[in-house]
Amino acid sequence: MTHILQNVVFPTDRDPDLLPLYVDPETWSVIGDEPVRVSSRAQLGNILGRNSARIMAGRRVSFGTYFNAFPAAYWQHWTTVREVRLTVRTVGPATILVYRSNGSGVRQRIETSEVDGAAETVFDLVLDQYSDGGFIWFDVVADEKSALFEGAEWTTEQEPARTGKASIGITTYNKPDYCIWTLTNLAESDDVLELVDRIFLIDQGDRRVDAQPEFPAVSQALGDTLQIVTQPNLGGSGGFARVMTESLARPETEFVQLMDDDVRLEPESVRRSIVFARYSSVPTIVGAHMFDLLDRPKLHAWAEVVDEEPFMWRALYQDKLPHDFSVSNLRQTPMLHMRLDADYNGWWMCLIPIEAIREVGLPLPAFIKWDDAEFCLRARGAGFPTVSMPGVALWHVSWVGKDDSIDWQAYFHARNRIVAGLLHSTASRGGTLLRHSRRMDMKHLMMMQYYPVALRHRALRDVLSGPSHMRKNLATAMPEARALSSQFPETVVHKDSGVPLRSRRGRVVFKRLSIHKLDNPTGIRLRWFTLSTLVSHWFHAPRPENIEQPEVEFGKGDAHWWRLPVYDSALVSAADGSGKNIYTRDRRQFRQMMIESVRLHSRLRREWPKLSAQYRDAAPELTSLPAWQRTFEENR
């Protein structure tokens, strides 16, 4: 029996920004070390359907792109598949060239075929040279006449190790329009639905998805496959725990595909992740990459890890992200060809074997932040690896237009990172985690951001109180954190009301050196800057005129921790551009919070071994199915 591993597809949206992710009809050269576009004739009119396109006479089109190159390295390393067949269907005179790359991105041609008329060209390929990395792809070159490309698939005759279906779980809070879009795309994707048992939509908001005018049509299209579950807002962890709970009760479900609500979906990615999981040598978590929903050619998250000493998440190529595929496509970017192993994958889209859930439990009752990373670390310890899979992706609102480290989410950033460290860090007393946390407090205080420090201290006190607090405040921690903002004037976003806010000295603009090279102090300069700034904020009261009106104005990109502290007050643009915040020195707040930060972090360091033992002992119960079922029963 022939099994399709990967279809060649074109975008579902007629969006020219998306074309570089699917097809590359452009000619490139290299000047110095930089890829330079020599010509561009990418035309949406040549995309004829989901699987077909016109190749103009004399033109060359490459399918060595993000969504259409075959990730041979990942299939060789993580599955037992060793023979793959590429089938390409064309009409008209054309040449088909098949290429491969290695882990360094070096291109090598492996087969060529000239065709004419209606042709189905087959290439049998062996996966035995991709241990370090590499893709396989093909180009189509039209002759003196235009040719039609009518589809292509990567297939195998090998039977999968697992044959069960996946249940898709979407957790939402007041984003019904996104959810309707996702459900509609799934309803129109028959080849995806063949692999799906149930679609669980966990609605935790008061703007219900099933109250939307478009819902009856999409509900009818999906039929019994769609199941709506309503519950109070228990965060992402509560929503996804409910998905897992519902899925565990279904014998037909072998995988759970978790998905965020504010996303745009590539349906083929869902199919690919399920198929890859079926063929994996061992039960494997299959994670999707994340593109920016508001800047769609840009890849923001890929192959993420947790550094041991600071116990902090990052991408393996943090300094290379975001990567803009409209500037440098897959074939022009050697870094993308290396096989990268991940520690975890974000739950914007992540497929988890039901076997892993049965063995390691459900998420921590974390509400949001770190529940995905902690679960994958826990699963890895039990023998379930995480694969961050190229060609499996969606579009999600990125962190470019928001700063959740200074809003109510600061509580969860701080608490859940420390809890995850208590559970999984092998470094003595968490390594440099607490030192890094204390420095975060200092930076916020020097920037006159007192609200996130108040939340971080609340988080530390809760951690010190023991693991039972996590389930007790699951439904209340978020509203309490948001309510606390009323005590901090800097949290007010001043909208444009026709009379613009202005600072006394005007806007301060700094020369941009580069996106990854900043003018921040280092070494001895950093120590002197930190000491002098802390002393200044301890003793110096702001001048009255700088309280009455902000002293200076900063754009968000210039408002770094080493620039704001030298002023009494500052007007700073909000991350999403919706208004401005006013930051003003508060000597009393600064002194109290500095003392509290030192006290709390010192206590955490002293009690780390005892706390670590407590949280590790409590983890099985915190993540157990019965505990979550009780939570759902109590929060109907």
Side-chain angles (χ1 to χ4, degrees):
M1 182 176 177
T2 299
H3 298 274
I4 298 175
L5 307 181
Q6 181 169 311
N7 289 302
V8 171
V9 294
F10 296 110
T12 57
D13 293 354
R14 293 188 61 77
D15 183 346
D17 286 344
L18 292 179
L19 275 183
L21 301 178
Y22 292 85
V23 64
D24 191 359
E26 302 174 334
T27 303
W28 293 73
S29 184
V30 176
I31 298 178
D33 293 328
E34 295 297 321
V36 177
R37 185 184 289 107
V38 177
S39 67
S40 173
R41 293 182 61 187
Q43 297 177 353
L44 282 173
N46 290 327
I47 306 301
L48 305 179
R50 180 67 165 149
N51 307 101
S52 59
R54 181 186 301 109
I55 314 296
M56 299 299 292
R59 299 296 295 172
R60 177 178 187 144
V61 171
S62 177
F63 292 86
T65 55
Y66 178 84
F67 278 117
N68 283 324
F70 184 75
Y74 290 79
W75 278 93
Q76 178 179 326
H77 185 77
W78 294 105
T79 79
T80 58
V81 174
R82 291 297 176 268
E83 294 181 353
V84 174
R85 173 168 289 179
L86 167 63
T87 303
V88 183
R89 293 178 297 282
T90 54
V91 177
T95 302
I96 303 171
L97 306 101
V98 182
Y99 293 90
R100 60 152 291 190
S101 64
N102 59 20
S104 300
V106 176
R107 182 181 67 174
Q108 302 168 349
R109 194 199 300 185
I110 52 179
E111 290 203 45
T112 305
S113 179
E114 294 186 11
V115 297
D116 200 354
E120 184 173 274
T121 311
V122 173
F123 303 92
D124 288 315
L125 307 162
V126 179
L127 305 183
D128 62 354
Q129 299 179 28
Y130 302 92
S131 59
D132 190 42
F135 288 82
I136 310 174
W137 69 89
F138 64 95
D139 293 2
V140 179
V141 184
D143 209 331
E144 71 277 0
K145 296 181 181 179
S146 296
L148 293 179
F149 170 79
E150 295 196 328
E153 304 89 28
W154 307 83
T155 63
T156 184
E157 300 293 319
Q158 183 173 324
E159 293 298 316
R162 286 161 286 279
T163 58
K165 294 185 176 184
S167 282
I168 297 174
I170 303 169
T171 294
T172 184
Y173 179 77
N174 289 347
K175 293 196 172 68
D177 47 346
Y178 283 103
C179 294
I180 291 292
W181 194 96
T182 298
L183 294 174
T184 301
N185 269 256
L186 290 170
E188 295 172 351
S189 306
D190 292 339
D191 57 343
V192 176
L193 292 179
E194 289 176 358
L195 306 178
V196 173
D197 178 27
R198 282 289 183 274
I199 300 172
F200 293 109
L201 193 145
I202 314 301
D203 198 334
Q204 303 186 133
D206 48 29
R207 292 176 53 210
R208 299 294 189 190
V209 175
D210 55 10
Q212 304 307 304
E214 305 89 348
F215 181 78
V218 73
S219 177
Q220 183 178 5
L222 289 169
D224 293 338
T225 303
L226 176 62
Q227 185 171 333
I228 305 290
V229 178
T230 60
Q231 65 182 31
N233 186 14
L234 303 178
S237 60
F240 289 135
R242 186 62 179 268
V243 171
M244 294 180 186
T245 299
E246 300 290 340
S247 299
L248 284 167
R250 296 196 58 81
E252 299 88 348
T253 293
E254 191 165 0
F255 311 98
V256 178
Q257 177 75 272
L258 304 180
M259 202 176 298
D260 237 330
D261 55 356
D262 53 344
V263 301
R264 290 282 181 170
L265 184 65
E266 167 48 75
E268 172 69 10
S269 290
V270 178
R271 204 193 66 81
R272 290 178 186 178
S273 64
I274 299 170
V275 171
F276 186 82
R278 284 179 164 187
Y279 278 96
S280 297
S281 303
V282 298
T284 299
I285 297 171
V286 184
H289 299 173
M290 190 196 86
F291 283 89
D292 189 342
L293 182 59
L294 303 180
D295 195 355
R296 300 181 76 181
K298 286 186 178 176
L299 177 65
H300 268 270
W302 173 40
E304 295 187 296
V305 296
V306 177
D307 284 336
E308 177 61 25
E309 271 298 307
F311 206 83
M312 190 60 185
W313 54 31
R314 67 174 176 88
L316 272 171
Y317 277 98
Q318 189 73 37
D319 60 331
K320 302 292 186 181
L321 294 177
H323 177 76
D324 190 345
F325 279 89
S326 67
V327 174
S328 181
N329 214 329
L330 179 66
R331 293 177 300 141
Q332 293 86 40
T333 314
M335 176 265 294
L336 296 173
H337 293 250
M338 184 187 305
R339 195 200 84 237
L340 300 177
D341 293 347
D343 288 341
Y344 76 98
N345 200 95
W347 282 354
W348 47 77
M349 180 176 167
C350 188
L351 181 139
I352 302 172
I354 206 81
E355 183 179 339
I357 299 170
R358 293 189 191 282
E359 183 162 340
V360 307
L362 282 66
L364 281 173
F367 195 81
I368 58 169
K369 306 298 178 188
W370 281 91
D371 46 352
D372 44 16
E374 190 282 327
F375 182 92
C376 290
L377 292 176
R378 192 174 359 132
R380 183 184 65 181
F384 301 96
T386 295
V387 175
S388 179
M389 188 66 182
V392 174
L394 48 57
W395 292 267
H396 186 280
V397 177
S398 77
W399 38 85
V400 170
K402 54 187 177 182
D403 192 347
D404 58 19
S405 66
I406 60 173
D407 66 12
W408 58 269
Q409 297 175 76
Y411 170 88
F412 299 100
H413 274 293
R415 184 196 67 175
N416 296 343
R417 178 188 175 194
I418 292 173
V419 169
L422 288 166
L423 290 171
H424 299 288
S425 176
T426 58
S428 175
R429 298 181 187 272
T432 58
L433 190 162
L434 295 180
R435 184 170 68 188
H436 185 271
S437 175
R438 188 172 63 248
R439 287 177 177 174
M440 288 289 293
D441 280 1
M442 288 168 42
K443 287 180 180 180
H444 284 306
L445 290 174
M446 290 191 295
M447 292 176 71
M448 300 166 283
Q449 295 170 342
Y450 305 108
Y451 174 56
V453 179
L455 290 176
R456 289 173 53 78
H457 290 174
R458 176 176 290 197
L460 267 58
R461 286 190 288 269
D462 283 347
V463 170
L464 286 163
S465 73
S468 62
H469 84 275
M470 296 190 73
R471 194 165 296 283
K472 288 178 182 176
N473 74 4
L474 178 61
T476 60
M478 185 271 281
E480 289 173 354
R482 298 186 71 168
L484 188 64
S485 67
S486 63
Q487 301 177 27
F488 297 90
E490 81 267 15
T491 63
V492 176
V493 178
H494 299 270
K495 309 281 186 177
D496 186 351
S497 60
V499 182
L501 280 173
R502 292 187 174 92
S503 64
R504 290 180 51 248
R505 296 169 55 180
R507 178 167 176 167
V508 181
V509 179
F510 294 82
K511 179 181 178 182
R512 301 293 176 89
L513 301 177
S514 78
I515 193 169
H516 296 299
K517 185 179 179 183
L518 300 170
D519 58 342
N520 55 302
T522 58
I524 295 176
R525 276 185 63 223
L526 172 61
R527 292 182 176 88
W528 172 249
F529 173 84
T530 303
L531 177 61
S532 60
T533 301
L534 293 176
V535 170
S536 172
H537 279 243
W538 187 275
F539 290 106
H540 172 68
R543 297 171 63 90
E545 61 267 29
N546 293 332
I547 296 177
E548 183 177 345
Q549 183 179 8
E551 184 177 359
V552 293
E553 180 180 353
F554 284 93
K556 186 65 179 180
D558 285 328
H560 293 296
W561 63 267
W562 61 91
R563 291 174 179 160
L564 260 67
V566 300
Y567 300 101
D568 283 346
S569 58
L571 190 62
V572 179
S573 299
D576 61 0
S578 62
K580 295 180 172 65
N581 299 87
I582 299 175
Y583 297 103
T584 306
R585 284 199 198 192
D586 186 326
R587 186 170 58 179
R588 181 183 61 83
Q589 288 271 31
F590 179 86
R591 289 175 173 176
Q592 289 178 350
M593 289 183 169
M594 272 297 298
I595 293 171
E596 183 71 352
S597 179
V598 172
R599 187 186 71 82
L600 287 171
H601 285 95
S602 296
R603 184 181 166 196
L604 263 173
R605 181 169 179 78
R606 286 195 312 273
E607 298 184 19
W608 184 275
K610 180 184 73 173
L611 282 169
S612 179
Q614 288 178 2
Y615 277 85
R616 294 184 188 202
D617 289 344
E621 195 280 332
L622 281 174
T623 61
S624 71
L625 178 61
W628 273 109
Q629 288 173 327
R630 288 194 299 273
T631 297
F632 300 140
E633 186 67 24
E634 293 165 1
N635 292 273
R636 284 187 169 185

